[in-house]
Amino acid sequence: MAYFENGPGNSKDWIGLYRVGEANTQFGWWQYTNGAPSGQTTLAAPAGTGTYELRYLLNDQTTTVAARSQPLTVAGPTVQQQDWPFFSPAAFINRPL
C-alpha cells in the first residue's frame, strides 16, 4: 500500500514504481490518482530485487516529477522497508529535484 497526500488533484496525475535511477519512462507499474489530491493505492512488490521508489507525476506526462518516495529495497520475496512512505507533491511542485 502506498499513500499520497496534498497532490494538485489533476485527473491524469499518476504514481509510478521505478528502480532508483531509471528514466521517468521506465516505470514497472503505474496508476492514475483519478483527480484525488490524497489517497492510497495497492501494488505488489516487484519480482526483481533492487532498490525502487514511487514517483508522483503530473498530467499524464513523464517530464514533471512532483514527488518521490524514500527508497524501497526489495531483497527476495519481501520488501525491506519499515513503512510505505507518505509523500506529498505539494511540497515539491515547482522545486528543482
Side-chain angles (χ1 to χ4, degrees):
M1 183 87 45
Y3 301 90
F4 61 96
E5 59 184 15
N6 301 317
N10 301 312
S11 65
K12 295 285 185 158
D13 289 350
W14 58 287
I15 297 170
L17 178 67
Y18 297 83
R19 284 187 180 270
V20 170
E22 290 287 350
N24 291 337
T25 56
Q26 300 298 310
F27 49 87
W29 167 94
W30 69 276
Q31 183 171 7
Y32 285 121
T33 63
N34 296 318
S38 300
Q40 65 188 33
T41 186
T42 303
L43 65 148
T49 60
T51 304
Y52 295 83
E53 67 185 356
L54 295 165
R55 298 179 195 167
Y56 188 109
L57 293 100
L58 301 177
N59 294 319
D60 209 21
Q61 298 179 19
T62 58
T63 55
T64 305
V65 177
R68 295 173 193 261
S69 71
Q70 293 295 314
L72 310 165
T73 301
V74 176
T78 60
V79 176
Q80 303 297 314
Q81 175 73 22
Q82 291 183 1
D83 294 303
W84 283 88
F86 280 90
F87 57 107
S88 177
F92 294 95
I93 292 174
N94 298 321
R95 289 181 55 195
L97 295 173

